[in-house]
Amino acid sequence: MLIFAVVSQVEEQCDSCSVNHTGQLSESFGSDLYSQMNESQTEAIRASLHKMTCDRNSHIELIWGPPGTGKTKTVSQMLFILLRMNYRTLCCAPTNVAVKEVASRVVKLVKEAYAAESEKSDPFTPLGDIILFGNKDRLKVAPDIEDIYLDYRVKRLVECFAPSNGLKHCVRSMIDLLEHGASHYHIFLENELIKTKENKDEAPKDKPKFFLEFIRAGVKAILPSLRRCLITFCTHVARSFVAKQNFENMVHLIYLLESLEKELFEKSKCLFVLKTVHSTLENLGIPAVVNEESIRELCFQMATLVFCTASTSYKLHRTNVEPLKVLVIDEAAQLKECESLIPLQLPGLKHAILVGDECQLPASVNSKISANAAFGRSLFERLSSLGQPKHLLNIQYRMHPSISCFPNSIFYTDKIMDAPEVRSKKHERCFLREKMFGPYSFINVPGGNEDGDGDDYSLRNIVEAAVVVKIVQKLYKGMSRLPTWNGSDTSLSVGVISPYAAQVALVQEKLRHKFENLDNFVVTVKSIDGYQGGEQDIVLLSTVRANNKGSIGFLSSPQRTNVALTRARYFFSYITARNFSLIFNFKYAEIEFLVPC
């Protein structure tokens, strides 16, 4: 198992594997990738995938993605390439939100690639080789990834393969109509004659149909169900499960049916393709008994890329399908080492790629005893501390240089470069007129002191909360005066962050949902831990603590402070009372470094 490779010394890649797979990797990589990614991202993907192609030895690769360096983009591109290489891959993350974000990016890449390859604008995208599974209530699957959600797919395919009204039935019905239409028409006329004789005293309601009208009406009756089943099949059945020519026949049939509805001159061509499709369905290996259990197993058999949380991956131990070869863990530094073992123990797993940043928040551990025993340490952090090489993504695309300067110096020893986009004039925004509101500002709030929220479990600072609300209101008024504001050409996202839940609740109460349901002005209030992985145009950080003891509470964690300082794109404001210099006194940093120009 791969877990033994993690514990032991992993062997270097053998030359024969590298040579054998170089052509396949280069073809899958594609020249378009270079134009979309920077050199560090491209090199991280290339180096990792070269190791994944080794058939003899197991390998663990680390990709280090500091804030704003395109970590999720890199992961999604790498998964897309593994999918094209037909490498059975499992992608895990600590949370449903993280899993959905990566899955959404991959689905978008697949749709764009298929649209570019397809000669016509097909009414579907083949996604049958991708699966997302997990708890429905917790996942809260959005429409853009609904087609890859396992429960939704099972439901659609059960309908598609139903013996009474599914795809086979619809295809047979259409073949029968087009092939034996004359006999069906004679039977229809005989029945109409019998009805006329039985109701001779009543005048006929409708004129008898001509032959072409009869056939056209029959086609029109079958067509909606047949077209729906074909689109379901092409969307939810993996192309690798069907031969390439068979899949193309399915697609061709969809367009033939559209022309058949209008003109019957395509009858012979359509009949030929229908019979070919019928033969394909008979030999496809669809379960004899069509139910949710059998279709669920079929979905796992077809899947090349599987998405789920690390904790949910235990369900894969129960599936009787071809083993997965590669494990990719996103946000790996936020996953406890013991949680990583769940997917790592899957039988047949050969390689793993861990993507994360140990300089950001680790997994939450409530017990101080467990925390002191490093229970929250991630496998990413452990391997990094043991000297495992890491592929650093070294260009950040999020923050104005004034915002990225301090975290880059303190947490990443100046290894991160600012992208040309964030250094350009376009990335400089003036949201408020006062000089104090530059890209990076400190707002000293005299007279504010922390106090308990009544339960003594969390702290809040009423004066700081009032200042935050005032700034948000000024931002809204300032943006609403812009000429393009009403046309929704200009939008603004504001993030209010605090390390204390009581302060978050207080700010939310004071705002009282005033800025909800606005498309061009969005205010999100969360704790620092809740903002990991997020970003906003403007971030206001309320530190809460203001005391004579020098206590800075949650912000004594460098990782938490790093997350707090790296969420803003254009404007970051530090709101604190009296002793804000204590916040950055990590024994190795001084507050003077942060004074804005």
Side-chain angles (χ1 to χ4, degrees):
M1 288 187 294
L2 180 59
I3 187 64
F4 295 120
V6 177
V7 178
S8 61
Q9 185 71 26
V10 180
E11 297 181 44
E12 288 298 317
Q13 184 186 30
C14 52
D15 294 335
S16 60
C17 289
S18 178
V19 172
N20 291 337
H21 292 285
T22 297
Q24 183 186 8
L25 183 59
S26 299
E27 182 181 348
S28 299
F29 219 76
S31 58
D32 291 342
L33 188 64
Y34 292 102
S35 62
Q36 298 173 18
M37 311 189 79
N38 62 50
E39 186 177 347
S40 67
Q41 293 169 334
T42 302
E43 183 54 34
I45 294 176
R46 184 181 292 279
S48 298
L49 292 181
H50 269 298
K51 293 289 182 68
M52 299 306 105
T53 58
C54 182
D55 295 325
R56 296 187 180 182
N57 305 319
S58 292
H59 294 275
I60 303 286
E61 291 292 296
L62 304 184
I63 297 179
W64 186 12
T69 54
K71 175 180 63 64
T72 304
K73 179 180 179 180
T74 304
V75 174
S76 58
Q77 287 280 9
M78 181 166 54
L79 290 170
F80 176 64
I81 295 168
L82 285 166
L83 182 65
R84 295 182 68 172
M85 293 172 68
N86 205 30
Y87 272 53
R88 285 178 58 78
T89 305
L90 170 63
C91 179
C92 292
T95 65
N96 288 307
V97 173
V99 169
K100 288 192 298 181
E101 178 60 28
V102 180
S104 177
R105 298 277 189 103
V106 174
V107 168
K108 184 179 179 183
L109 289 172
V110 172
K111 288 182 176 180
E112 290 173 352
Y114 185 73
E117 294 169 3
S118 179
E119 295 179 0
K120 299 179 180 179
S121 181
D122 294 339
F124 64 88
T125 301
L127 297 168
D129 42 12
I130 309 176
I131 279 182
L132 165 68
F133 75 96
N135 184 281
K136 181 180 179 181
D137 296 330
R138 293 176 183 173
L139 269 174
K140 297 178 181 176
V141 178
D144 63 324
I145 55 172
E146 186 178 48
D147 282 334
I148 67 168
Y149 181 50
L150 180 60
D151 291 356
Y152 178 81
R153 174 167 295 167
V154 168
K155 185 178 179 181
R156 296 279 79 81
L157 287 180
V158 166
E159 294 173 357
C160 180
F161 295 145
S164 59
N165 57 354
L167 181 57
K168 279 186 182 180
H169 171 79
C170 292
V171 169
R172 282 195 298 263
S173 298
M174 188 65 81
I175 291 173
D176 185 48
L177 176 67
L178 298 181
E179 199 167 38
H180 305 104
S183 60
H184 286 301
Y185 181 63
H186 287 305
I187 294 171
F188 166 76
L189 289 178
E190 289 175 4
N191 291 334
E192 289 296 306
L193 183 60
I194 292 170
K195 288 179 184 178
T196 303
K197 289 179 179 179
E198 291 177 350
N199 305 300
K200 56 184 178 181
D201 296 333
E202 298 180 14
K205 296 180 180 179
D206 300 312
K207 292 182 180 180
K209 293 180 181 178
F210 293 107
F211 176 70
L212 286 179
E213 289 178 308
F214 174 79
I215 296 297
R216 190 171 284 114
V219 169
K220 192 174 182 179
I222 301 170
L223 194 59
S225 297
L226 177 54
R227 189 172 187 274
R228 184 176 63 252
C229 287
L230 282 169
I231 291 174
T232 298
F233 185 95
C234 292
T235 301
H236 295 289
V237 174
R239 281 191 285 180
S240 57
F241 188 70
V242 189
K244 182 181 179 181
Q245 185 58 51
N246 292 333
F247 182 84
E248 290 176 357
N249 287 334
M250 296 273 188
V251 178
H252 185 44
L253 181 57
I254 293 174
Y255 290 104
L256 281 176
L257 290 172
E258 290 179 358
S259 60
L260 184 68
E261 185 180 15
K262 299 172 184 176
E263 299 290 342
L264 291 177
F265 66 83
E266 295 282 3
K267 174 186 170 183
S268 57
K269 187 187 294 185
C270 190
L271 188 58
F272 175 77
V273 178
L274 278 164
K275 288 182 177 180
T276 305
V277 168
H278 183 265
S279 177
T280 299
L281 294 172
E282 289 293 332
N283 301 307
L284 194 58
I286 298 169
V289 178
V290 177
N291 54 36
E292 288 192 2
E293 184 178 350
S294 62
I295 296 301
R296 190 177 298 272
E297 184 176 342
L298 176 66
C299 290
F300 277 114
Q301 288 174 354
M302 294 188 297
T304 303
L305 176 57
V306 179
F307 288 97
C308 66
T309 60
S311 57
T312 305
S313 66
Y314 80 91
K315 294 182 179 179
L316 293 171
H317 289 271
R318 303 173 182 174
T319 58
N320 185 24
V321 296
E322 182 185 346
L324 294 154
K325 184 174 182 179
V326 180
L327 169 66
V328 177
I329 302 182
D330 189 25
E331 301 289 0
Q334 205 179 358
L335 192 67
K336 299 184 189 75
E337 191 170 352
C338 59
E339 291 175 309
S340 299
L341 298 182
I342 301 171
L344 280 169
Q345 292 186 83
L346 285 168
L349 207 61
K350 190 75 176 174
H351 308 287
I353 302 172
L354 309 184
V355 188
D357 177 17
E358 72 268 35
C359 295
Q360 296 186 63
L361 282 168
S364 298
V365 178
N366 294 326
S367 167
K368 290 184 179 180
I369 296 175
S370 297
N372 292 335
F375 180 70
R377 179 180 56 186
S378 66
L379 179 61
F380 187 98
E381 185 180 353
R382 178 205 273 262
L383 293 174
S384 180
S385 66
L386 292 174
Q388 175 85 1
K390 296 183 290 187
H391 304 286
L392 174 65
L393 307 181
N394 62 4
I395 299 178
Q396 72 87 15
Y397 298 86
R398 176 187 299 165
M399 295 164 275
H400 187 280
S402 297
I403 301 173
S404 65
C405 183
F406 176 74
N408 182 24
S409 174
I410 299 304
F411 303 110
Y412 302 103
T413 60
D414 290 323
K415 292 178 181 176
I416 311 302
M417 296 179 287
D418 296 316
E421 294 91 325
V422 299
R423 296 198 308 266
S424 68
K425 290 275 187 181
K426 293 181 180 179
H427 209 77
E428 294 180 4
R429 307 287 176 88
C430 182
F431 297 102
L432 295 172
R433 297 176 182 176
E434 291 83 351
K435 291 183 179 180
M436 64 182 294
F437 294 112
Y440 207 114
S441 66
F442 288 87
I443 300 176
N444 187 23
V445 184
N449 289 289
E450 76 248 25
D451 61 79
D453 64 351
D455 297 325
D456 295 326
Y457 290 117
S458 187
L459 297 173
R460 62 184 185 179
N461 189 313
I462 296 174
V463 178
E464 281 189 23
V467 172
V468 167
V469 172
K470 188 68 175 176
I471 293 175
V472 171
Q473 291 172 340
K474 284 176 69 69
L475 285 167
Y476 179 72
K477 287 180 181 178
M479 295 299 292
S480 62
R481 294 192 189 103
L482 294 176
T484 56
W485 184 249
N486 293 329
S488 296
D489 294 330
T490 303
S491 62
L492 188 68
S493 61
V494 180
V496 179
I497 304 178
S498 178
Y500 294 95
Q503 186 74 351
V504 170
L506 179 61
V507 173
Q508 288 175 335
E509 179 186 349
K510 287 185 174 293
L511 288 174
R512 291 179 182 173
H513 313 295
K514 290 179 181 178
F515 303 103
E516 282 189 351
N517 303 320
L518 295 174
D519 294 332
N520 48 10
F521 191 82
V522 180
V523 182
T524 308
V525 187
K526 288 184 181 180
S527 66
I528 295 175
D529 296 48
Y531 249 111
Q532 174 140 313
E535 59 181 275
Q536 303 289 347
D537 295 331
I538 294 174
V539 168
L540 309 175
L541 173 62
S542 174
T543 62
V544 176
R545 302 304 294 266
N547 53 69
N548 297 320
K549 302 174 185 176
S551 176
I552 56 177
F554 282 114
L555 286 173
S556 60
S557 163
Q559 294 162 312
R560 182 169 281 106
T561 303
N562 183 27
V563 171
L565 297 177
T566 54
R567 301 304 99 194
R569 297 188 189 98
Y570 310 112
F571 169 44
F572 178 88
S573 185
Y574 205 106
I575 302 169
T576 187
R578 299 185 310 186
N579 61 344
F580 60 82
S581 61
L582 290 170
I583 302 298
F584 293 99
N585 187 13
F586 293 134
K587 298 180 181 178
Y588 47 79
E590 296 296 335
I591 191 65
E592 284 75 20
F593 182 84
L594 286 167
V595 175
C597 299

